[in-house]
Amino acid sequence: MRAEAMIVRFPRLGRVLACAMLLGLAGTSAPAAQPISTDAGAAAPAADTSSTKSAGEQPRPVAPHIDTAEITNRANRDVGADIATTIAGWQNGLERLENDLRGPRLRYSDLNALRDELQRVRSDIEEFANRLQPPFAAAKAQLDLLGQAPPAGQPAEAEPVARSRAELNHYVGLLAAGETAVNAANLRIDQLINTIQDIRRKNFTTNLFQPVPGIYSPQTWTRVADYAPAAASRLRDLVLDWWESVRDHDELLRIGLEALLLWLVLGIAAWHGVRWLRRCRLPGAAPPFWRRAASAAGVIALRTVPVVAPLLFLYAIVAETQSLPERIDRLFSAALQSVVVILGVNALAGTVLAPRAADWRLIPASDKSAGRIYGLILALAVIYGVTTLLYAVIRVVQAPFALTVAVAFPSTLLLAGTVVAILLSRLDAEGKDGMPSLRWLSALWIPSWVAIGAIVISALAGYLALSRFLAQQLVVTGSILALVYLLLLWVDGFTQGLGDGTAATGRWLEQRAGLAQQRRERLALPVGLLLKFLVLVLSVPLILLQWGYTRSDIHEWYRQLFFGFHIGNTQVSLAVLLASIIVFVLGYAAARLFQSWLDARVLKPAGISGGVRESIRTGVGYVGIAIAGVVAFSYAGFNLSSLAIVAGAFSVGIGFGLQSVVNNFVSGLILLAERPVKVGDLVVVGGEEGYVRRISVRSTEIETFERARVLIPNSYFTTEKVKNWTLRDNMRRLAIPVGVAHGCDARQVRKILLEVARSNPNIMLTPAPCVELEEFGADSLDFKLYAFVDDLTKVGSTSTELRLAILDAFREAGIAMPLRQTDVTLRNVDWLRAAAAEHVGGSSNGGRSEAGSTAARHVEREGDRARTTARLQRRRGDLPA
């Protein structure tokens, strides 16, 4: 009822849109298209009318006269078609299709024919719209250049300008009416297609949920024994009649022999091809998983093509040369479809499970489990293929419905039982050697059991059409999903082979393109994502075809997806977005190539230093990326002024949330432009000292002397103190302190130090080295030698060489370098002397008095205290070791 109500509303809607279009045409052309008159007195009535107005009103300017017929002819010539006639043709065609949709009990083929007709009308409309857009855009651009007419009270413009504006207004009005008609016709076509979809869905649902009467009736099953021989006799008579009608039997036999020869050739080539794909470079070693996955797609194709290709060849040649009758053609098509399904499933299951080649198995399964599951899957494919062929035979010979029930009911239950046996089979093995985990199968466990339950219940309840449809979708959709999964595994194996030097692709990229392993591994990610995207996009139509959608529906959806669909007032086109991404990638690659060319052919021959070259290369790279981004955005159709508005709206958030990021970005640009720090400079910043290795827009990479990489935010270089040892040159001053003993000749020491410095080849003579006597120390005379080195990387080695030379020179000249001395003072020395004397006297008398013992103990304590004090001073560095 809903579809019929929509059909009834279509004529009203069409009439409303036609009236709106005509009113728009009249309203657009009214200001410019005045009554045409070629005589000179045609302007008199307008002048008289204006003279009757009051003196306070400003007279309106007289509209210039234009030739509307000539303008209409010019518009038709520019578009390449009669605009009014073309629009009328669309409307008549759509009216006729609306009337056809009102017909009762439309069949599936009738609905497909109506949809195809609507698609042809849409193609004509799109072709007309493509021819309409260029002159329409040019006319609007010319009208914008002329601007608005002067308002009332202002001096009138020149007559040629006014006439040009009037002609352009009328011309634009005609083309605008055509554009309005295009939009209205597309909207009407969309509504008609939706109506066809509603009718088709209603018919499909009605057929699926219609129970079969008499499924458990004894008469239905007892008559099968009589109907089957009669159907077989009709099939035999049909084939014999066709064979007798063939003009040249020898030609058919020759075609059959050619197909057989083709099968033999392709079979031998496929056998060698499988062996070549499954070759292993290491004898006795199992191939890695990526190699197994990469060869799987080729093995499946080689196992399927040798049989399918000869059958297709035989069918195509026979159909072309013998003009097959409709029923014979349907039989051949059904047989070919069954063979293709059985062979395809056999190749797919045999490659994945590999029951006789465990080394090439793609899922973790034992040999026994793989063989069992492979046999069940092959039996499932045979049941499905034979059942499909029997359905076609029953329809062709027009057998009684009891035969359809006899085939559909047991075959559906048999398919469900086979699927149950597959689900109950255990793999009995664990994944290893990079095999993928099959935990994702648990997500399909419950839906599969639900589908099996629905198949069995609907078959037992008499809904054979529904049970057959569910069984078909379970088998075919499952096979398609398995094929998609296998292709995704193939993509993973192919991308892993890009990074492996032993693979053909990886070896070719390494030898031909000169790509190292790291770059090949980086290339594998975008290539893998692109291939997986293509696999998923191409697999969706196969699944939709099995669920009742037509090729026209899928083609229309993909056309809208890739070439534009509307979300509100915004048109989104996946093709344009992909093209813009490709434009950005090409622009980015061009910027990189220009960077390399500039560095190798311009900067390096010009003798520019490494830091300057790096800054120029980085700046050029950023400019190239920015240009590529702007071009890509423009190609995608984005309005850059809108981006400016969005950027202004985000400026507040950037000011608060991304303040440090923006600060570092701007600081990076300042560093690249001002160049206070260059690549290769030795700097001290933020408590770190090292060489600058890379300057980016956010941070600067510094390599310390310990070979550690430190990332310093760029804001440190613009807001903090930075010590740059190599900002202007690589010179560095070194200072070596020297101490000599008191009494040494200070002038001789100064002379020796200068001679040692001048004799070193790393010491610069300009500025000349110098020696300063800094102070008179308690233990030594302290000198300091200052000298300059032209290469700061040689400061450490030069300092060591100078110190060694100074030691040798002082030894030859007899100049001593004293060690520091520490005096130990003992308190109460007189008492200590007396006690020691008493101790000595007591010892000489053969005994030790009490006073002597006390004095001895006191001496020992004082000695221990002196030794402890000396040890502490030695630890602090006051005494030499």
Side-chain angles (χ1 to χ4, degrees):
M1 295 299 292
R2 181 180 178 184
E4 294 176 357
M6 292 181 64
I7 295 175
V8 171
R9 294 193 188 98
F10 279 154
R12 301 176 185 175
L13 180 60
R15 287 192 290 269
V16 171
L17 291 175
C19 293
M21 181 189 68
L22 294 176
L23 289 175
L25 176 60
T28 306
S29 59
Q34 299 296 331
I36 304 174
S37 178
T38 57
D39 56 352
D48 295 338
T49 303
S50 62
S51 63
T52 59
K53 296 184 179 183
S54 61
E57 292 186 17
Q58 294 292 339
R60 292 182 178 179
V62 179
H65 300 291
I66 58 176
D67 190 351
T68 56
E70 176 59 27
I71 296 174
T72 303
N73 293 331
R74 181 162 62 90
N76 293 335
R77 289 194 304 269
D78 292 341
V79 176
D82 192 330
I83 298 176
T85 304
T86 303
I87 294 174
W90 301 340
Q91 293 175 353
N92 294 333
L94 295 178
E95 289 286 346
R96 179 176 54 81
L97 292 174
E98 283 184 8
N99 294 331
D100 293 338
L101 278 175
R102 296 173 188 172
R105 306 180 68 142
L106 293 172
R107 294 181 300 177
Y108 191 77
S109 58
D110 298 333
L111 295 174
N112 287 339
L114 292 175
R115 183 182 178 88
D116 293 340
E117 183 66 23
L118 286 173
Q119 294 295 344
R120 284 193 292 270
V121 175
R122 186 191 291 276
S123 299
D124 296 339
I125 293 174
E126 289 181 353
E127 183 181 357
F128 176 81
N130 292 332
R131 294 199 305 264
L132 179 68
Q133 285 301 322
F136 189 31
K140 287 196 295 185
Q142 293 178 7
L143 196 59
D144 292 338
L145 289 176
L146 288 177
Q148 298 292 332
Q154 296 294 328
E157 61 183 351
E159 183 179 357
V161 177
R163 184 181 299 108
S164 298
R165 181 181 292 106
E167 291 176 351
L168 284 173
N169 279 326
H170 189 77
Y171 183 84
V172 169
L174 292 174
L175 299 184
E179 187 179 38
T180 304
V182 167
N183 296 332
N186 283 327
L187 177 61
R188 195 174 181 184
I189 290 173
D190 291 337
Q191 293 172 345
L192 290 175
I193 289 176
N194 292 333
T195 302
I196 293 175
Q197 289 291 92
D198 293 338
I199 298 174
R200 182 187 297 167
R201 193 177 300 110
K202 181 180 178 181
N203 295 339
F204 181 73
T205 305
T206 303
N207 294 330
L208 277 184
F209 292 95
Q210 184 176 1
V212 176
I215 188 174
Y216 294 110
S217 175
Q219 297 178 355
T220 303
W221 296 97
T222 55
R223 293 178 181 176
V224 172
D226 299 331
Y227 293 152
S233 178
R234 290 181 185 177
L235 178 62
R236 183 178 62 255
D237 295 339
L238 181 63
V239 174
L240 289 177
D241 291 341
W242 168 73
W243 180 258
E244 293 177 356
S245 65
V246 173
R247 297 185 301 272
D248 190 355
H249 294 87
D250 295 336
E251 184 180 5
L252 284 181
L253 293 176
R254 186 170 58 255
I255 294 173
L257 291 176
E258 291 175 355
L260 181 61
L261 179 62
L262 180 62
W263 172 70
L264 290 175
V265 173
L266 291 179
I268 296 173
W271 183 75
H272 287 285
V274 171
R275 291 192 61 185
W276 181 80
L277 287 175
R278 287 188 166 182
R279 70 192 188 283
C280 188
R281 296 184 180 276
L282 299 178
F289 177 76
W290 69 263
R291 190 175 186 82
R292 285 175 273 170
S295 64
V299 171
I300 292 175
L302 290 174
R303 288 178 172 176
T304 308
V305 170
V307 179
V308 174
L311 290 177
L312 290 175
F313 169 78
L314 179 63
Y315 172 72
I317 298 299
V318 171
E320 181 181 357
T321 58
Q322 301 298 327
S323 63
L324 293 176
E326 180 183 359
R327 292 193 293 178
I328 296 295
D329 184 70
R330 289 167 60 183
L331 283 176
F332 282 178
S333 299
L336 181 61
Q337 179 182 355
S338 299
V339 172
V340 169
V341 169
I342 294 173
L343 291 178
V345 173
N346 176 55
L348 179 63
T351 303
V352 174
L353 295 169
R356 292 183 294 272
D359 290 341
W360 295 92
R361 193 168 296 155
L362 297 180
I363 61 174
S366 62
D367 294 341
K368 182 178 179 181
S369 300
R372 171 184 169 82
I373 297 175
Y374 169 73
L376 291 173
I377 292 176
L378 184 59
L380 185 67
V382 171
I383 294 171
Y384 176 80
V386 173
T387 304
T388 303
L389 181 60
L390 290 177
Y391 285 144
V393 171
I394 290 172
R395 287 195 301 268
V396 167
V397 301
Q398 299 177 354
F401 187 71
L403 281 181
T404 304
V405 175
V407 173
F409 188 73
S411 63
T412 303
L413 295 179
L414 188 58
L415 280 173
T418 308
V419 174
V420 169
I422 294 174
L423 292 177
L424 294 179
S425 300
R426 300 177 61 87
L427 297 177
D428 297 333
E430 296 182 357
K432 60 181 180 178
D433 190 24
M435 282 190 177
S437 175
L438 298 181
R439 295 181 180 177
W440 58 271
L441 288 177
S442 59
L444 302 177
W445 185 265
I446 296 178
S448 300
W449 282 105
V450 170
I452 293 171
I455 292 171
V456 175
I457 292 174
S458 59
L460 296 177
Y463 294 92
L464 290 182
L466 178 60
S467 63
R468 179 192 165 199
F469 175 76
L470 292 177
Q472 179 182 1
Q473 301 313 316
L474 183 62
V475 174
V476 179
T477 305
S479 301
I480 294 174
L481 292 178
L483 179 61
V484 171
Y485 178 70
L486 182 61
L487 289 176
L488 294 178
L489 289 181
W490 172 81
V491 171
D492 291 335
F494 176 77
T495 53
Q496 291 180 18
L498 295 178
D500 195 335
T502 61
T505 53
R507 186 168 59 254
W508 184 85
L509 289 176
E510 182 179 6
Q511 295 177 357
R512 299 291 183 179
L515 297 179
Q517 182 178 1
Q518 186 176 7
R519 296 188 64 183
R520 297 200 307 271
E521 292 176 353
R522 292 177 181 176
L523 180 64
L525 178 61
V527 171
L529 293 177
L530 178 61
L531 292 178
K532 288 183 178 180
F533 174 76
L534 292 177
V535 169
L536 296 177
V537 169
L538 295 178
S539 63
V540 172
L542 298 177
I543 298 176
L544 293 178
L545 286 174
Q546 300 303 319
W547 285 87
Y549 295 97
T550 63
R551 293 183 178 86
S552 301
D553 299 332
I554 300 172
H555 178 268
E556 178 65 19
W557 293 339
Y558 272 75
R559 186 193 66 81
Q560 293 181 359
L561 177 64
F562 283 94
F563 298 102
F565 60 93
H566 289 275
I567 300 179
N569 294 327
T570 303
Q571 183 176 5
V572 180
S573 176
L574 185 59
V576 174
L577 293 178
L578 292 177
S580 63
I581 294 175
I582 294 174
V583 168
F584 176 76
V585 172
L586 293 177
Y588 180 80
R592 291 298 186 186
L593 290 176
F594 181 75
Q595 269 187 309
S596 302
W597 176 85
L598 183 67
D599 182 60
R601 299 299 180 89
V602 177
L603 300 180
K604 188 175 181 180
I608 300 177
S609 64
V612 178
R613 284 170 53 192
E614 184 67 22
S615 299
I616 295 176
R617 290 184 72 256
T618 305
V620 169
Y622 291 146
V623 172
I625 293 174
I627 293 175
V630 171
V631 173
F633 272 106
S634 301
Y635 189 84
F638 291 102
N639 191 354
L640 298 182
S641 61
S642 302
L643 293 179
I645 296 174
V646 173
F650 277 105
S651 60
V652 178
I654 291 175
F656 290 98
L658 302 177
Q659 182 178 3
S660 60
V661 176
V662 175
N663 185 14
N664 291 324
F665 177 78
V666 175
S667 300
L669 297 180
I670 293 174
L671 291 179
L672 293 175
E674 186 181 347
R675 298 177 57 248
V677 175
K678 305 179 296 298
V679 174
D681 285 352
L682 178 61
V683 297
V684 180
V685 58
E688 300 289 344
E689 182 176 4
Y691 293 95
V692 177
R693 295 307 183 194
R694 186 171 179 270
I695 301 175
S696 61
V697 294
R698 192 195 67 83
S699 61
T700 298
E701 181 181 336
I702 292 179
E703 181 182 2
T704 64
F705 298 120
E706 294 80 12
R707 308 291 293 179
R709 302 280 177 156
V710 182
L711 299 179
I712 306 295
N714 289 331
S715 58
Y716 274 72
F717 292 90
T718 57
T719 59
E720 303 291 335
K721 294 181 179 179
V722 180
K723 180 186 287 186
N724 191 343
W725 291 102
T726 57
L727 178 61
R728 298 287 180 255
D729 49 45
N730 289 334
M731 292 175 53
R732 185 170 179 179
R733 191 183 74 166
L734 54 86
I736 299 178
V738 179
V740 298
H742 288 282
C744 294
D745 189 352
R747 290 181 174 83
Q748 185 182 7
V749 171
R750 179 174 179 273
K751 180 180 179 182
I752 292 174
L753 292 177
L754 290 176
E755 290 178 353
V756 169
R758 294 191 185 102
S759 61
N760 193 293
N762 295 327
I763 298 299
M764 300 178 61
L765 299 180
T766 304
C770 63
V771 176
E772 293 182 359
L773 177 59
E774 289 190 332
E775 62 180 5
F776 300 100
D779 303 319
S780 63
L781 298 176
D782 296 330
F783 293 84
K784 184 168 287 188
L785 171 63
Y786 295 99
F788 288 89
V789 182
D790 58 354
D791 188 356
L792 58 87
T793 60
K794 300 178 180 179
V795 170
S797 59
T798 304
S799 299
T800 301
E801 293 174 359
L802 289 177
R803 287 185 173 92
L804 294 175
I806 290 172
L807 289 176
D808 295 339
F810 281 1
R811 188 180 302 109
E812 293 178 0
I815 298 175
M817 302 178 67
L819 300 176
R820 288 189 178 181
Q821 299 178 359
T822 303
D823 297 332
V824 178
T825 303
L826 298 178
R827 295 174 295 177
N828 200 1
V829 180
D830 295 337
W831 181 86
L832 184 61
R833 289 175 181 173
E838 292 179 1
H839 175 71
V840 172
S843 298
S844 60
N845 294 328
R848 180 177 296 177
S849 64
E850 182 179 355
S853 299
T854 303
R857 287 194 299 272
H858 185 72
V859 170
E860 290 178 359
R861 285 196 300 270
E862 289 294 334
D864 292 339
R865 186 180 298 129
R867 285 190 295 272
T868 301
T869 303
R871 190 182 302 112
L872 292 175
Q873 291 178 349
R874 191 178 297 111
R875 288 181 180 179
R876 290 197 303 264
D878 295 338
L879 288 176

